[in-house]
Amino acid sequence: PSSYGFVVFCPAVASVEPLVPIVPMAYAKSDLTKLHRSQKRGSYDKQLVHEILDQGVVAHVAYVDGEGNVKISPMIYGRQEDFLYLHGHVSAGVLRNGSIDLCFCMTLEDGLVLARSGMHSSVNYRCVMVHGKAEEVADPTEKWSSLDLIVDHAAGPSPGFSQTVQRPMTEAEVASTRVLRLEMKDGCVSAKTRAEGANDDKEDIENPKLWAGIVPITRVYGPAVNDPSLRFHVLPPEAVRNYPKHRSGLPHCVEKRSGDHRPYIALALTFGAGLLVGAWMSKR
């Protein structure tokens, strides 16, 4: 009852759950990350960006040094959610001055696209590019854990490799290493992929003497090889012996294009074989 002479009815007020913040599933686009060519191959999807980064090992990091020279350094890395970690000796170029503006690029080559002409030959790939200011990691706990993260990422499919297979890093080793943290922010992240066959000209497609196709590129793990300095009979750890076959790679298929009559030939052969079998069975 209400003191104003009416009843206020509000069902299930007590059962209302607190609002959960919605996490964006894509990085915002900006003039910096907008693609000007082949825009259909671009993506800002977070899941795709993370999947590509998690399959890579080495990235190329571009920066301008203190003397104004543009340089690029290949670097291994690790990812923790929306943060990338880079490391190296304190005197290394990109790490020499601590925090620095840079461009991070990592590419996976998935296949050689060999077209009927050099003009249309290409490469199937997956690529991530990140722009931003990389900050030096000063907190000792974060620095230590980020170094383990980088080792575990490079080691591939062996979770906790740095903790279960290797000895812990010493304080001297950590002190001689500088770690940078690059946040993947909106307007600074993009992915670009190509996963298709040759885009040949129509007259080349109809030329019976010209071949086109894809040669897949797949990163594979081979069996472990003991280091020459190994003096004792120590078997490779189980984590190393049980590596999966592949690190990265994609299934490759060529789109059916006009002028490719192979599907119709296969269908005709299948239909013809069915007629022959049916005729043979009817005579029995």
Side-chain angles (χ1 to χ4, degrees):
S2 169
S3 59
Y4 292 94
F6 59 88
V7 176
V8 178
F9 179 68
C10 185
V13 170
S15 63
V16 174
E17 298 291 335
L19 294 177
V20 178
I22 299 176
V23 179
M25 299 305 293
Y27 296 102
K29 188 192 305 185
S30 70
D31 290 339
L32 182 64
T33 60
K34 179 182 178 181
L35 297 178
H36 298 281
R37 282 182 52 82
S38 302
Q39 295 185 13
K40 66 178 182 179
R41 294 176 182 163
S43 175
Y44 305 89
D45 180 78
K46 285 192 174 185
Q47 182 177 351
L48 176 63
V49 168
H50 294 172
E51 286 178 354
I52 295 173
L53 290 172
D54 291 347
Q55 289 191 42
V57 180
V58 177
H60 288 86
V61 178
Y63 62 100
V64 179
D65 67 10
E67 299 177 355
N69 300 310
V70 179
K71 296 184 177 180
I72 299 178
S73 297
M75 304 180 72
I76 61 173
Y77 61 92
R79 182 186 71 84
Q80 181 70 42
E81 297 180 351
D82 273 336
F83 292 94
L84 294 170
Y85 289 91
L86 307 168
H87 85 301
H89 194 269
V90 291
S91 64
V94 67
L95 299 153
R96 187 173 301 155
N97 299 317
S99 302
I100 188 172
D101 291 315
L102 54 78
C103 178
F104 171 103
C105 182
M106 200 285 297
T107 303
L108 299 172
E109 303 89 358
D110 293 319
L112 303 176
V113 182
L114 305 179
R116 296 168 178 86
S117 69
M119 175 65 185
H120 295 298
S121 294
S122 187
V123 174
N124 280 343
Y125 62 89
R126 288 166 290 159
C127 174
V128 169
M129 187 171 290
V130 183
H131 302 265
K133 186 178 186 64
E135 304 283 352
E136 182 175 1
V137 176
D139 179 73
T141 302
E142 183 183 3
K143 183 178 181 180
W144 211 291
S145 63
S146 63
L147 289 171
D148 286 342
L149 177 72
I150 294 171
V151 171
D152 291 340
H153 173 79
S158 299
F161 186 90
S162 59
Q163 301 294 324
T164 60
V165 176
Q166 299 175 323
R167 66 159 176 79
M169 285 181 282
T170 66
E171 292 185 4
E173 290 172 337
V174 176
S176 66
T177 306
R178 180 166 283 137
V179 179
L180 299 181
R181 178 184 59 244
L182 176 62
E183 183 177 2
M184 293 186 283
K185 299 180 179 180
D186 282 336
C188 298
V189 184
S190 63
K192 191 175 182 182
T193 64
R194 188 190 194 281
E196 58 186 286
N199 295 314
D200 277 319
D201 296 330
K202 183 178 179 181
E203 56 269 24
D204 291 334
I205 294 174
E206 294 175 351
N207 188 331
K209 296 182 179 180
L210 295 177
W211 177 89
I214 296 175
V215 178
I217 300 174
T218 305
R219 289 168 179 78
V220 299
Y221 291 108
V225 179
N226 289 339
D227 188 86
S229 65
L230 196 63
R231 297 165 51 193
F232 307 100
H233 183 65
V234 181
L235 294 176
E238 183 179 358
V240 176
R241 296 198 305 269
N242 294 333
Y243 267 34
K245 183 177 180 181
H246 298 98
R247 170 91 187 200
S248 67
L250 286 177
H252 297 271
C253 59
V254 180
E255 300 175 3
K256 180 175 71 67
R257 301 182 182 279
S258 59
D260 187 356
H261 303 293
R262 287 172 293 179
Y264 304 103
I265 295 173
L267 180 62
L269 291 173
T270 303
F271 182 72
L275 290 178
L276 291 175
V277 171
W280 179 73
M281 292 293 293
S282 65
K283 293 179 179 180
R284 297 188 62 183

